[in-house]
RNA sequence: GCCCGGGUGGCGGAAUGGCAGACGCGGCGGACUCAAAAUCCGCUGUCCGAAAGGGCGUGUGGGUUCGACUCCCACCCCGGGCACCA
């Protein structure tokens, strides 16, 4: 695919030039040696990976990349950007004396391997293992300092044994609201049995049948069965979590339509943790944008529940604005609301049923189209507004969603734009509860009026309360919204018709998938059709071999289709006889598998202790690597780098599992990822021909600039993701072949800020290649191969300018590495090397050694090679990073720019220790400045220490 | 519509409120070469000028300041997220 010859090839080249062939030889040699010596194996404080000598008293640092999916297509140059960044950072911190844990594993269950298997007939395991091998080889070629012993895959039986174990921990736990934490269900059962906790209907525990007891316990579990509308995706043959459905109602994988369908499904009670998932964000060092996305997704709203009496009983609504209750002139129920049937009167029955049918047939996409006009139907019934006593009509409309709040609203058309539109459409009364400010009327070109007839839209905001009083409650007058809400909430509670409450947008996590390639549920069904956990000693529940793992192909648009579970086809696996302490009995296995997110919810913990067979992670090992670092610190990974696309999926689920495990006493940290950094993406240009088809990007020629042709045909340039379909893939393999891994690493780090997306440009890579050639030439004579670094004389050897440049570089590069500013670190190193090259005299050891150490995080193979040639026998990886000598950072003299009215007009050089008055005098004495001022006395002179003088004439 | 990012040479990008354009690519000129490639050296924001030098320049328009890419206000454009959430 490459159209470049390896760099530095040609007939009469200097024999010892640093070119692709030499780089390759050096790189492969050092990669072998690192493996052989276990150079990057990080010692644990306990267990099989313990090594007290190597642990010493070094501070720990856990650096983590987001768990990659081993794609069948192999890596392109965009994939390793983050891995190289964490590698540079990890190598730097190791040189700062820290015990750095950095590894990478494979999130290998999931839909892509299964879809590929369906397309090709290859078993997903075969394909997955091949892909992992390919990816391991590609990553190894980049020289990443990973601890290979810790590289796990979610598909390993020894791994998913613990995924299933954690699932059962969650299954066997309930959320104790009073304590605000999860506890084992055994404790719940003990409380119920002892009577310290009453049963819902008040009967003593012992009088409940065993089935009733189990049902009661099951209803509390953090993993539970729910009969509710779920996201059914016929195209994938499985149900999906809310987080896996895009805003336009399609699956995030495969982009198939998704339908709401009532089904019995396994859920995880993530909503129990909504408050903590929200509040604990404050303790995390994450980009504010990601925190905001999680906050929005959780969507905590403060408000009140209010009951409206109706012929069918109390209708409960949730509102964030109970203070506007006096303006509630009608109610709206979701078409799916369970009370609709009973509320509908005979003469409205037909219209209501028709509307319900219509709503049910709509895809979420259509239903969420905000621009369309409001629709709805009157049920024929009336409810009573609890504060006014007025009878108000009850409608159904699809702008009210069953999935949020109570599925019913009180409509306050004067204070809510949606209700306003609905009221106008159907001629329902609109009563103001607040008088908008005059400016609001002015802004709408009308005159202030308490009658809403002239209002062009609802008013939302602070305003004087009107029409809001009854015999026992008075809101009218000047008061803030907060105050009014408090007053009416208290009134509602006093009168038993409502109370202040909090509602979340977050829904429980639909956890089951009707697929093959995932962790089987460790759940059995007994002959009472009740679920039973597989006992620990029978884990893992292995995924059975299956010849035909295809889901039954359903029409992606057929909302009426039903899931068919592939595991159900393995009859001899799906049923079994087992003695769980009450004699041998027949059980059926649960046939669901877990979603792909399961394995990635805890993988960082397994990196810590990958070989442990007694526990998913040893407590001491977890405390060492993940434990809280002081007051208020939640613990967790020290640096977590990955793409922004996991903002609400993986990152929310993993936090949830981590918190459950913390509550159950298995972890010392209560957040998995303390510091999160989103790296940018590498994008690439692609080219389309006259027919709009993509042509092979590497064959496109640009000449003249801005004009592109492919085989002589003009093509147009577009910008997008690197991928097969755009025919613009560049692989790390071809870059390693053309230049070497060190050049590729350096180029990726130099392209731009770590968190910014940028376009790949193969043409630009040569710049980094030239730089490394200059570095090489400083050490090695290209013609003879002679090592030409000289040992320093008595005075240290380096001239003052070089010494100053070196220490300036040390200071700058340390700060840049630490701040993940790799691009500017690279340019500072280039500046230093350019300075040394221009000096045109042999480099002294006292410069060569710190330079080599500074280069090593970026170009570790080359640095190891130079380090060895400098006479060292051990790896450079643990050499201390140089420290800048502050005394060398200040020069004897310093140049000041002299500005007149903010424009640089001259330059002066003064002693570094000159005071402001001296600098000012020198500036005013400068010939050019004297000319410019033409004898006039300056009105003002500003001296900026060490930098510039600004003269205001 | 709401919430986040972001607009700097031909391109990627750099600049604690203090000399805009570091560093790299590309381009131009030169060295080496029979020649080319590779490599090395010099120049390279833009306009005027032979040069010295000067004018203009960080999306647009205002403002604060001795001084603004940087801070404030309004707007335009691009990317991302959310979106009938009561």
């Amino acid at each position: 695919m490459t159209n470049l010859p390896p760099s530095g090839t040609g007939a009469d080249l200097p024999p010892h030039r640093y070119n692709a062939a030499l780089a390759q030889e050096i790189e492969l040699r050092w990669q072998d040696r690192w493996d052989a010596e276990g150079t990057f194996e990080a010692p644990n404080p306990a267990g099989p990976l313990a090594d007290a000598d190597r642990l010493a008293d070094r501070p720990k640092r856990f650096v983590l990349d987001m768990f990659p999916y081993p794609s069948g297509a192999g890596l392109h140059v965009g994939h390793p950007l983050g891995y190289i960044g964490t590698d540079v950072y990890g190598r730097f911190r190791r040189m700062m004396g820290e015990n750095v844990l950095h590894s990478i594993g494979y999130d290998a269950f999931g839909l892509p391997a299964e879809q590929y298997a369906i397309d090709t007939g290859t078993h997903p395991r075969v394909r997955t293992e091949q892909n992992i091998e390919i990816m391991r080889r590609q990553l190894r070629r980049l020289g990443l300092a990973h601890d290979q012993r810790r590289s796990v895959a979610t598909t390993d039986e020894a791994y998913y044994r613990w995924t299933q174990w954690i699932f059962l921990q969650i299954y066997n736990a309930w959320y104790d609201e009073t304590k605000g934490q999860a506890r084992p269900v055994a404790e719940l059962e003990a409380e119920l049995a002892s009577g310290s906790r009453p049963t819902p209907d008040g009967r003593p525990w012992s009088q409940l049948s065993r089935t009733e007891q189990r049902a009661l316990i099951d209803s509390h579990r953090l993993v539970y069965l729910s009969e509710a509308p779920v996201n059914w995706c016929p195209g994938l043959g499985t149900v999906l979590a809310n987080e896996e459905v895009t805003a336009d109602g399609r699956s995030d994988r495969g982009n198939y339509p998704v339908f709401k369908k009532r089904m019995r499904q396994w859920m995880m009670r993530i909503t129990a943790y909504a408050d903590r998932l929200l509040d604990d964000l404050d303790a995390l060092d994450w980009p504010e944008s990601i925190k905001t996305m999680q906050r929005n997704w959780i969507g905590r709203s403060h408000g009140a529940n209010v009951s409206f009496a109706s012929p069918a009983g109390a209708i409960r609504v949730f509102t964030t604005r109970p203070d506007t209750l006096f303006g509630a002139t009608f109610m709206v129920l979701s078409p799916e609301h369970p009370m609709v049937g009973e509320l509908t009167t005979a003469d409205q029955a037909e219209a209501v049923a028709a509307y319900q049918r219509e709503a049910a047939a709509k895809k979420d996409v259509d239903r969420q189209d905000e621009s369309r006009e409001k629709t709805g139907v009157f049920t024929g019934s009336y409810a009573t507004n609890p504060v006014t006593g007025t009878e108000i009509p009850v409608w159904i409309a699809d702008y009210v969603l069953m999935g949020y709040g109570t599925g019913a609203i009180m409509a306050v058309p004067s204070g809510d734009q949606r209700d306003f539109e609905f009221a106008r459409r159907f001629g329902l009364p609109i009563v103001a509860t607040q008088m908008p400010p005059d400016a609001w009327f002015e802004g709408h070109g009308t005159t202030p009026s308490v009658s809403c007839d002239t209002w062009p839209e609802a008013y939302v905001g602070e305003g004087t309360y009107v029409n809001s009083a009854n015999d026992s409650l008075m809101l009218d007058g000047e008061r803030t919204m907060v105050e009014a809400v408090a007053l009416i909430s208290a009134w509602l509670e006093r009168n038993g018709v409502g109370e202040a409450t909090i509602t979340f947008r977050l829904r429980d996590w639909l956890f089951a998938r009707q697929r093959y390639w995932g962790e089987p549920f460790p759940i059995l069904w007994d002959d009472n059709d009740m679920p039973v956990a597989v006992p620990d000693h029978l884990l893992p529940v292995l995924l059975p071999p299956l010849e035909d793992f295809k889901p039954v192909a359903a029409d992606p648009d057929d909302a009426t289709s039903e899931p068919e579970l592939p595991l159900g086809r393995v009859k001899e696996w799906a049923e079994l006889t087992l003695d769980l302490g009450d004699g041998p009995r027949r059980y059926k296995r649960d046939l669901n598998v877990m979603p792909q997110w399961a394995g990635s919810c805890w993988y960082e913990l397994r990196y810590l202790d990958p070989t442990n067979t007694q526990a998913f992670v040893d407590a001491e090992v977890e405390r060492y690597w993940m434990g809280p670092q002081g007051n208020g610190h939640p613990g967790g990974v020290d640096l977590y780098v990955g793409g922004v696309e996991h903002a609400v999926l993986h990152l929310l689920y993993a936090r949830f599992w981590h918190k459950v495990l913390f509550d159950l006493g298995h972890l010392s940290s209560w957040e998995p990822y303390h510091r999160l950094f989103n790296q940018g993406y590498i994008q690439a240009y692609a080219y389309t021909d006259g027919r709009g088809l993509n042509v092979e990007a590497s064959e496109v020629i640009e000449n003249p600039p801005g004009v592109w042709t492919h085989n002589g045909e003009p093509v147009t340039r577009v910008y997008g993701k690197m991928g097969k379909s755009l025919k613009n893939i560049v692989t790390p393999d071809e870059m390693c072949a053309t230049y070497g891994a060190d050049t590729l690493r350096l180029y990726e780090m130099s392209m731009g800020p770590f968190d910014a997306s940028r376009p790949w440009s193969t043409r630009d890579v040569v710049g980094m290649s030239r730089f490394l050639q200059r570095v090489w030439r400083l050490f090695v004579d290209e013609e003879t191969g002679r090592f030409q670094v000289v040992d320093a004389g008595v005075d240290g050897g380096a001239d003052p300018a070089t010494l100053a440049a070196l220490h300036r570089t040390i200071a700058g590069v340390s700060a840049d590495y630490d701040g993940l500013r790799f691009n500017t670190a690279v340019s500072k190193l280039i500046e230093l090397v350019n300075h040394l090259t221009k000096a045109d005299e042999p480099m002294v050891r006292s410069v060569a050694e710190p330079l080599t150490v500074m280069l090593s995080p970026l170009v570790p193979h080359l640095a190891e090679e130079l380090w060895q040639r400098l006479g060292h026998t051990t790896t450079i990886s643990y050499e201390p990073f140089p420290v800048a000598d502050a005394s060398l950072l200040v020069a004897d003299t310093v140049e000041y720019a002299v500005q007149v009215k903010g424009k640089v007009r001259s330059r002066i050089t003064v002693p570094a220790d000159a005071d402001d008055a001296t600098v000012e005098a020198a500036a005013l004495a400068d010939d050019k400045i004297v000319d410019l001022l033409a004898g006039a006395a300056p009105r003002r002179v500003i001296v900026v220490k060490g930098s510039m003088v600004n003269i205001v004439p």
Side-chain angles (χ1 to χ4, degrees):
Chain A
M1 188 178 294
T2 176
N3 56 359
L4 291 171
S7 71
T9 49
D12 43 357
L13 279 176
H16 297 278
R17 171 158 294 175
Y18 181 78
N19 60 12
L22 179 56
Q24 170 122 332
E25 187 274 315
I26 292 171
E27 287 166 3
L28 298 182
R29 181 153 43 80
W30 280 100
Q31 284 157 12
D32 288 345
R33 184 161 160 195
W34 292 332
D35 275 356
E37 296 183 357
T39 306
F40 305 114
E41 292 180 359
N44 275 354
L49 305 190
D51 184 339
D53 290 345
R54 295 189 62 215
L55 190 71
D57 55 355
R58 291 186 293 158
K60 65 92 186 182
R61 187 159 304 253
F62 187 6
V63 176
L64 184 69
D65 300 288
M66 280 190 189
F67 212 20
Y69 180 81
S71 151
L75 297 182
H76 60 64
V77 289
H79 290 116
L81 177 71
Y83 310 151
I84 297 170
T86 47
D87 188 55
V88 173
Y89 180 74
R91 285 174 179 271
F92 169 68
R93 297 306 320 185
R94 189 176 291 112
M95 294 182 132
M96 296 297 282
E98 294 179 341
N99 184 22
V100 175
L101 194 165
H102 191 199
S103 192
I104 200 161
Y106 300 91
D107 187 13
F109 274 129
L111 286 172
E114 195 170 346
Q115 292 296 82
Y116 179 87
I118 290 164
D119 294 343
T120 63
T122 320
H123 192 278
R125 177 166 295 283
V126 173
R127 174 67 175 176
T128 301
E129 284 172 2
Q130 283 171 353
N131 290 350
I132 290 174
E133 262 331 289
I134 292 167
M135 192 158 162
R136 280 221 166 94
R137 199 178 66 232
Q138 286 185 303
L139 291 179
R140 184 178 186 275
R141 185 65 190 84
L142 297 175
L144 303 170
H146 290 158
D147 184 341
Q148 293 301 335
R149 303 169 305 171
R150 301 173 187 265
S151 178
V152 297
T154 51
T155 47
D156 296 342
E157 289 168 7
Y159 183 90
Y160 74 74
R161 179 235 188 282
W162 292 109
T163 308
Q164 291 172 335
W165 182 87
I166 293 169
F167 173 90
L168 290 176
Q169 290 293 309
I170 303 170
Y171 177 77
N172 284 319
W174 62 293
Y175 201 80
D176 183 342
E177 292 290 349
T178 55
K179 291 200 168 162
Q181 65 166 85
R183 296 170 60 195
V185 287
E187 294 179 16
L188 174 68
E189 185 162 356
E191 286 183 12
L192 287 163
S194 75
S196 66
R197 176 178 292 267
T199 60
D201 61 7
R203 281 185 293 159
W205 176 255
S206 56
Q207 285 182 20
L208 271 59
S209 72
R210 187 57 199 146
T211 304
E212 285 174 319
Q213 289 177 346
R214 284 174 62 189
L216 179 54
I217 296 291
D218 285 354
S219 71
H220 282 79
R221 292 178 189 273
L222 292 184
V223 181
Y224 65 98
L225 280 162
S226 152
E227 176 88 32
V230 297
N231 304 301
W232 165 237
C233 179
L236 293 172
T238 184
V239 295
L240 298 171
N242 288 348
E243 289 79 7
E244 291 170 306
V245 181
T246 60
D248 53 349
R250 301 180 82 90
S251 60
D252 69 336
R253 290 234 188 243
N255 201 32
Y256 293 107
V258 171
F259 302 88
K260 278 271 181 271
K261 193 179 176 77
R262 263 187 108 73
M263 283 186 205
R264 190 167 177 238
Q265 290 290 342
W266 288 107
M267 309 289 284
M268 275 204 183
R269 210 179 296 277
I270 190 172
T271 53
Y273 283 82
D275 273 313
R276 283 164 63 187
L277 289 169
L278 195 62
D279 294 337
D280 289 353
L281 286 171
D282 294 339
L284 299 178
D285 182 5
W286 284 18
E288 207 46 48
S289 59
I290 300 284
K291 288 190 185 182
T292 304
M293 281 161 75
Q294 292 221 344
R295 288 191 186 108
N296 290 344
W297 191 263
I298 297 167
R300 181 164 61 193
S301 297
H302 297 264
N305 279 334
V306 185
S307 293
F308 287 66
S310 85
I315 305 172
R316 275 171 80 72
V317 303
F318 172 73
T319 176
T320 54
R321 292 293 305 275
D323 58 313
T324 63
L325 182 50
F326 285 91
T329 51
F330 60 101
M331 297 186 78
V332 186
L333 271 54
S334 160
E336 298 91 1
H337 195 284
M339 290 172 74
V340 173
E342 218 178 319
L343 284 165
T344 305
T345 57
D347 53 335
Q348 288 297 100
E350 204 171 305
V352 167
Y355 189 79
Q356 284 179 312
R357 271 198 306 278
E358 212 178 298
K362 273 193 184 114
K363 291 176 196 167
D364 277 9
V365 198
D366 307 325
R367 198 163 154 168
Q368 283 171 9
D369 180 3
E370 207 177 327
S371 59
R372 82 197 165 86
E373 207 171 356
K374 295 273 181 295
T375 59
V377 176
F378 179 41
T379 61
S381 290
Y382 293 82
T384 310
N385 182 322
V387 286
T388 62
T390 316
E391 295 289 296
I392 59 175
V394 180
W395 288 62
I396 62 169
D398 63 6
Y399 82 92
V400 176
L401 310 173
M402 198 56 225
Y404 185 77
T406 62
I409 62 156
M410 64 178 213
V412 183
S414 61
D416 182 287
Q417 186 57 27
R418 294 157 301 185
D419 299 344
F420 185 90
E421 286 166 17
F422 195 82
R424 276 283 156 86
R425 172 91 203 274
F426 294 105
L428 294 158
I430 305 176
V431 176
T433 62
Q434 285 172 296
M435 186 66 187
D438 290 353
W440 183 82
F441 289 102
E442 261 171 58
H444 287 94
T446 58
T447 48
S449 156
V450 75
S451 156
C452 300
D453 297 348
T454 59
W455 291 19
E457 60 179 32
Y459 173 73
V460 184
E462 300 281 354
T464 309
Y465 285 86
V466 294
N467 301 326
S468 297
N470 64 21
D471 294 347
S472 53
L473 176 65
M474 171 70 190
L475 296 183
D476 285 348
E478 297 285 341
R479 64 181 86 246
T480 62
M481 209 186 290
V482 173
E483 194 186 338
V485 167
L487 280 171
I488 194 158
S489 297
W491 186 93
L492 290 168
E493 224 154 305
R494 228 170 23 243
N495 289 274
V497 289
E499 67 286 316
T501 189
I502 294 168
T503 289
F504 295 90
R505 200 189 89 107
L506 181 71
R507 302 268 66 99
D508 275 339
W509 179 12
L510 196 160
F511 196 73
R513 297 293 178 273
Q514 294 74 46
R515 299 286 298 210
Y516 171 70
W517 193 232
E519 300 88 346
F521 268 47
I523 295 285
L524 305 171
W525 292 86
D526 67 13
D527 42 19
N528 293 321
D529 201 29
M530 294 195 80
V532 184
V534 173
D536 189 61
H537 70 274
L538 291 179
L539 296 182
V541 176
L542 294 176
L543 196 54
L546 183 60
E547 285 304 315
D548 178 19
F549 35 76
K550 294 174 195 169
V552 170
D555 176 355
D557 292 308
D558 179 9
T560 65
S561 52
E562 293 282 340
E564 187 269 3
L565 297 110
L567 290 180
R569 284 177 223 148
V570 197
K571 297 287 179 236
E572 65 283 8
W573 180 84
E575 293 194 27
L576 70 165
T577 303
L578 205 60
D579 185 347
L580 295 178
D582 48 1
R585 285 168 185 271
R586 246 354 233 170
Y587 293 93
K588 289 178 181 154
R589 287 191 191 275
D590 192 279
L591 301 176
N592 290 287
V593 298
M594 299 186 199
Q596 188 177 357
W597 311 106
S600 59
C601 273
W602 71 285
Y603 72 107
E604 72 283 351
L605 295 165
R606 196 59 182 171
Y607 284 2
L608 303 181
D609 204 3
T611 57
N612 195 329
T613 55
Q614 304 306 305
F616 70 113
V617 60
D618 176 85
E620 187 184 343
V621 170
E622 187 272 335
R623 200 176 322 115
Y624 174 77
W625 289 110
M626 301 272 281
Q629 308 287 300
N631 225 352
H633 190 291
V637 172
D638 297 295
L639 177 66
Y640 193 29
V641 173
V644 71
E645 74 272 20
H646 292 119
V648 288
L649 286 156
H650 158 63
L651 288 171
L652 198 62
Y653 298 148
R655 293 181 64 216
F656 165 49
W657 278 36
H658 201 92
K659 286 180 182 303
V660 178
L661 291 169
F662 170 79
D663 284 357
L664 297 177
H666 299 301
L667 300 174
S668 69
S669 49
W670 63 89
E671 281 286 341
Y673 315 117
H674 180 248
R675 181 182 181 199
L676 174 70
F677 189 94
N678 292 121
Q679 101 271 359
Y681 294 99
I682 291 184
Q683 312 223 65
Y685 291 108
Y687 302 87
T688 50
D689 64 16
R691 294 167 299 168
L693 300 177
N694 285 292
V695 302
E696 180 53 51
S698 59
E699 296 164 5
V700 170
I701 294 161
E702 180 180 10
N703 184 40
V707 177
W708 296 275
T709 55
H710 179 251
N711 294 335
E713 297 295 318
V715 290
T716 28
R717 191 171 77 161
V718 294
Y719 184 54
K721 277 183 167 171
M722 210 172 256
K724 248 186 218 164
S725 58
L726 289 180
K727 293 191 178 175
N728 59 354
I729 291 180
V730 180
T731 65
D733 310 66
E734 61 191 287
M735 284 300 108
C736 287
T738 313
Y739 291 107
D742 280 336
T743 303
L744 172 64
R745 290 170 59 106
L746 193 62
Y747 173 66
E748 294 217 359
M749 291 299 95
S750 74
M751 292 169 77
F754 195 34
D755 58 357
S757 292
R758 48 287 210 13
W760 177 264
S761 173
T762 297
R763 192 174 71 176
D764 292 2
V765 182
V766 70
M768 293 305 115
S769 174
R770 287 178 193 150
F771 165 61
L772 292 183
Q773 288 185 354
R774 286 202 295 281
V775 170
W776 183 256
R777 268 195 299 274
L778 286 172
F779 290 82
V780 178
D781 185 307
E782 282 191 333
E783 296 298 333
T784 64
R786 191 179 59 86
F787 193 70
Q788 52 188 2
V789 173
V790 297
D791 281 312
V794 279
D795 56 355
D799 62 275
T802 298
L803 221 48
L806 174 67
H807 285 265
R808 211 166 42 239
T809 306
I810 292 170
V813 168
S814 313
D816 284 350
Y817 279 156
D818 205 41
L820 307 176
R821 294 185 298 270
F822 307 120
N823 56 330
T824 51
V826 172
S827 55
K828 285 175 177 115
L829 287 163
I830 293 174
E831 283 181 280
L832 176 62
V833 167
N834 288 351
H835 171 90
L836 296 169
T837 302
K838 281 197 180 76
D840 198 28
E841 58 191 27
M843 179 165 59
V844 294
R845 174 176 290 270
S846 59
V847 174
E849 294 205 333
L851 172 63
T852 308
V853 173
M854 283 194 286
L855 283 166
S856 70
L858 289 161
V859 288
H861 313 88
L862 176 62
E864 288 276 24
E865 183 69 14
L866 298 175
W867 193 245
Q868 189 181 52
R869 292 188 187 217
L870 280 161
H872 300 280
T873 53
T874 55
T875 176
I876 196 171
S877 306
Y878 291 84
E879 287 301 316
F881 204 85
V883 177
D885 181 344
S887 70
L888 292 170
L889 295 176
V890 289
D892 294 345
T893 62
V894 59
E895 187 184 78
Y896 279 73
V898 184
Q899 296 183 341
V900 178
K901 281 205 294 188
K903 290 199 188 302
V904 179
R905 297 298 180 176
S906 185
R907 286 165 198 287
I908 54 169
T909 299
V910 297
D913 55 0
D915 60 17
D916 287 1
T918 313
V919 175
E920 181 176 335
L924 290 172
D926 183 82
D927 289 348
K928 288 191 197 129
I929 301 304
V930 170
D931 287 353
L932 270 162
L933 292 178
R939 280 198 295 142
R940 193 166 168 194
V941 179
I942 294 104
V943 176
V944 183
K945 191 81 189 144
S947 170
M948 52 160 288
V949 182
N950 190 16
I951 298 167
V952 188

